[in-house]
mmCIF file of all heavy atoms in Angstrom:
data_model
loop_
_atom_site.group_PDB
_atom_site.id
_atom_site.type_symbol
_atom_site.label_atom_id
_atom_site.label_comp_id
_atom_site.label_asym_id
_atom_site.label_seq_id
_atom_site.Cartn_x
_atom_site.Cartn_y
_atom_site.Cartn_z
ATOM 1 N N ALA A 81 156.571 125.650 85.813
ATOM 2 C CA ALA A 81 156.693 127.041 86.276
ATOM 3 C C ALA A 81 157.005 127.069 87.769
ATOM 4 O O ALA A 81 156.494 126.258 88.543
ATOM 5 C CB ALA A 81 155.398 127.794 85.991
ATOM 6 N N PRO A 82 157.849 127.985 88.171
ATOM 7 C CA PRO A 82 158.195 128.078 89.589
ATOM 8 C C PRO A 82 156.988 128.485 90.439
ATOM 9 O O PRO A 82 156.107 129.215 89.994
ATOM 10 C CB PRO A 82 159.278 129.146 89.646
ATOM 11 C CG PRO A 82 159.379 129.744 88.295
ATOM 12 C CD PRO A 82 158.556 128.944 87.351
ATOM 13 N N SER A 83 156.977 128.007 91.638
ATOM 14 C CA SER A 83 155.893 128.305 92.573
ATOM 15 C C SER A 83 155.833 129.808 92.856
ATOM 16 O O SER A 83 156.858 130.486 92.899
ATOM 17 C CB SER A 83 156.136 127.540 93.877
ATOM 18 O OG SER A 83 155.139 127.848 94.807
ATOM 19 N N GLY A 84 154.629 130.300 93.016
ATOM 20 C CA GLY A 84 154.438 131.698 93.360
ATOM 21 C C GLY A 84 154.418 132.639 92.171
ATOM 22 O O GLY A 84 154.346 133.857 92.353
ATOM 23 N N ARG A 85 154.505 132.101 90.983
ATOM 24 C CA ARG A 85 154.479 132.946 89.787
ATOM 25 C C ARG A 85 153.300 132.538 88.916
ATOM 26 O O ARG A 85 152.776 131.434 89.008
ATOM 27 C CB ARG A 85 155.764 132.785 88.986
ATOM 28 C CG ARG A 85 156.972 133.284 89.740
ATOM 29 C CD ARG A 85 158.153 133.364 88.824
ATOM 30 N NE ARG A 85 159.326 133.745 89.601
ATOM 31 C CZ ARG A 85 160.536 133.676 89.143
ATOM 32 N NH1 ARG A 85 160.759 133.255 87.920
ATOM 33 N NH2 ARG A 85 161.545 134.044 89.895
ATOM 34 N N ILE A 86 152.900 133.414 88.061
ATOM 35 C CA ILE A 86 151.813 133.114 87.128
ATOM 36 C C ILE A 86 152.415 132.392 85.925
ATOM 37 O O ILE A 86 153.410 132.842 85.349
ATOM 38 C CB ILE A 86 151.093 134.396 86.681
ATOM 39 C CG1 ILE A 86 150.384 135.006 87.887
ATOM 40 C CG2 ILE A 86 150.115 134.091 85.551
ATOM 41 C CD1 ILE A 86 149.677 136.305 87.584
ATOM 42 N N ALA A 87 151.810 131.287 85.582
ATOM 43 C CA ALA A 87 152.253 130.527 84.409
ATOM 44 C C ALA A 87 151.266 130.755 83.275
ATOM 45 O O ALA A 87 150.094 131.081 83.504
ATOM 46 C CB ALA A 87 152.320 129.046 84.755
ATOM 47 N N SER A 88 151.723 130.598 82.079
ATOM 48 C CA SER A 88 150.823 130.734 80.935
ATOM 49 C C SER A 88 150.991 129.518 80.031
ATOM 50 O O SER A 88 152.016 128.841 80.051
ATOM 51 C CB SER A 88 151.108 132.020 80.160
ATOM 52 O OG SER A 88 152.414 131.980 79.632
ATOM 53 N N ALA A 89 149.946 129.266 79.262
ATOM 54 C CA ALA A 89 149.961 128.127 78.343
ATOM 55 C C ALA A 89 149.269 128.531 77.055
ATOM 56 O O ALA A 89 148.287 129.266 77.065
ATOM 57 C CB ALA A 89 149.250 126.939 78.978
ATOM 58 N N ASP A 90 149.798 128.048 75.951
ATOM 59 C CA ASP A 90 149.149 128.257 74.655
ATOM 60 C C ASP A 90 148.059 127.206 74.488
ATOM 61 O O ASP A 90 148.146 126.110 75.050
ATOM 62 C CB ASP A 90 150.172 128.095 73.526
ATOM 63 C CG ASP A 90 151.247 129.173 73.545
ATOM 64 O OD1 ASP A 90 150.928 130.308 73.934
ATOM 65 O OD2 ASP A 90 152.389 128.854 73.183
ATOM 66 N N PHE A 91 147.048 127.542 73.710
ATOM 67 C CA PHE A 91 146.036 126.542 73.379
ATOM 68 C C PHE A 91 145.341 126.938 72.087
ATOM 69 O O PHE A 91 145.303 128.099 71.714
ATOM 70 C CB PHE A 91 145.022 126.345 74.513
ATOM 71 C CG PHE A 91 144.147 127.526 74.783
ATOM 72 C CD1 PHE A 91 142.900 127.651 74.184
ATOM 73 C CD2 PHE A 91 144.564 128.529 75.651
ATOM 74 C CE1 PHE A 91 142.092 128.746 74.445
ATOM 75 C CE2 PHE A 91 143.765 129.619 75.919
ATOM 76 C CZ PHE A 91 142.527 129.738 75.307
ATOM 77 N N ILE A 92 144.825 125.944 71.431
ATOM 78 C CA ILE A 92 144.086 126.149 70.189
ATOM 79 C C ILE A 92 142.665 126.564 70.564
ATOM 80 O O ILE A 92 142.030 125.913 71.405
ATOM 81 C CB ILE A 92 144.093 124.868 69.346
ATOM 82 C CG1 ILE A 92 145.529 124.614 68.863
ATOM 83 C CG2 ILE A 92 143.123 124.952 68.176
ATOM 84 C CD1 ILE A 92 145.752 123.309 68.194
ATOM 85 N N PRO A 93 142.128 127.607 69.953
ATOM 86 C CA PRO A 93 140.760 128.029 70.280
ATOM 87 C C PRO A 93 139.745 126.933 69.940
ATOM 88 O O PRO A 93 139.922 126.182 68.981
ATOM 89 C CB PRO A 93 140.540 129.258 69.399
ATOM 90 C CG PRO A 93 141.886 129.704 68.973
ATOM 91 C CD PRO A 93 142.756 128.488 68.970
ATOM 92 N N ASP A 94 138.694 126.868 70.727
ATOM 93 C CA ASP A 94 137.642 125.871 70.490
ATOM 94 C C ASP A 94 137.090 125.952 69.069
ATOM 95 O O ASP A 94 136.736 124.933 68.478
ATOM 96 C CB ASP A 94 136.494 126.042 71.486
ATOM 97 C CG ASP A 94 136.846 125.544 72.873
ATOM 98 O OD1 ASP A 94 137.788 124.728 73.003
ATOM 99 O OD2 ASP A 94 136.172 125.950 73.841
ATOM 100 N N THR A 95 137.032 127.141 68.513
ATOM 101 C CA THR A 95 136.470 127.309 67.165
ATOM 102 C C THR A 95 137.341 126.664 66.083
ATOM 103 O O THR A 95 136.875 126.478 64.959
ATOM 104 C CB THR A 95 136.281 128.798 66.835
ATOM 105 O OG1 THR A 95 137.528 129.475 67.029
ATOM 106 C CG2 THR A 95 135.212 129.420 67.722
#
Side-chain angles (χ1 to χ4, degrees):
S83 178
R85 295 191 184 168
I86 294 178
S88 63
D90 294 327
F91 67 93
I92 292 172
D94 285 339
T95 54

